[in-house]
Amino acid sequence: MKLPPILVYSVLRLLAFLVPLAIMWFFFPILREYWWLTAIFAALIGVSISYLFLRAPLTGASSDIYERRQARDAAGKRSAAAQDADAEDAAIDNAEDSTTTAE
């Protein structure tokens, strides 16, 4: 069974945050007093790790999301924003046609 790419990426991102947090929490006692500073450092380390090493899982998750969205749009389920945008485009086209015929 293959795991969904978004699940893999989410778990790896959580680990990229929780592992540095646990290391700093257990091996640096002074950081236990400043828990908020430990969380900030762990977040910065996690972002750096994910930026450097998690490019492939991010690409997989992004392409999976894109394919699902394209399949949903192709099935005819258009969002209200897309329908609104089409109505605005049609109104602009009609306004342009009426100004060119009036001249």
Side-chain angles (χ1 to χ4, degrees):
M1 180 174 100
K2 185 177 178 186
L3 294 174
I6 190 74
L7 179 66
V8 172
Y9 181 67
S10 298
V11 168
L12 290 174
R13 282 290 306 258
L14 279 171
L15 286 174
F17 171 73
L18 292 175
V19 169
L21 181 68
I23 289 171
M24 286 188 290
W25 188 264
F26 290 118
F27 294 117
F28 301 104
I30 189 69
L31 291 177
R32 289 182 197 157
E33 294 179 31
Y34 301 106
W35 58 268
W36 54 273
L37 190 60
T38 307
I40 291 172
F41 286 156
L44 291 174
I45 293 169
V47 167
S48 300
I49 289 171
S50 65
Y51 183 74
L52 292 172
F53 300 112
L54 298 182
R55 180 67 56 192
L58 174 62
T59 304
S62 298
S63 64
D64 187 46
I65 291 170
Y66 177 77
E67 290 168 3
R68 287 182 185 204
R69 179 166 287 175
Q70 291 299 323
R72 186 186 65 202
D73 288 343
K77 296 180 182 177
R78 294 174 41 116
S79 66
Q83 292 173 355
D84 187 41
D86 288 342
E88 289 175 0
D89 291 342
I92 290 171
D93 290 341
N94 289 338
E96 289 175 356
D97 289 342
S98 64
T99 58
T100 56
T101 57
E103 294 175 356

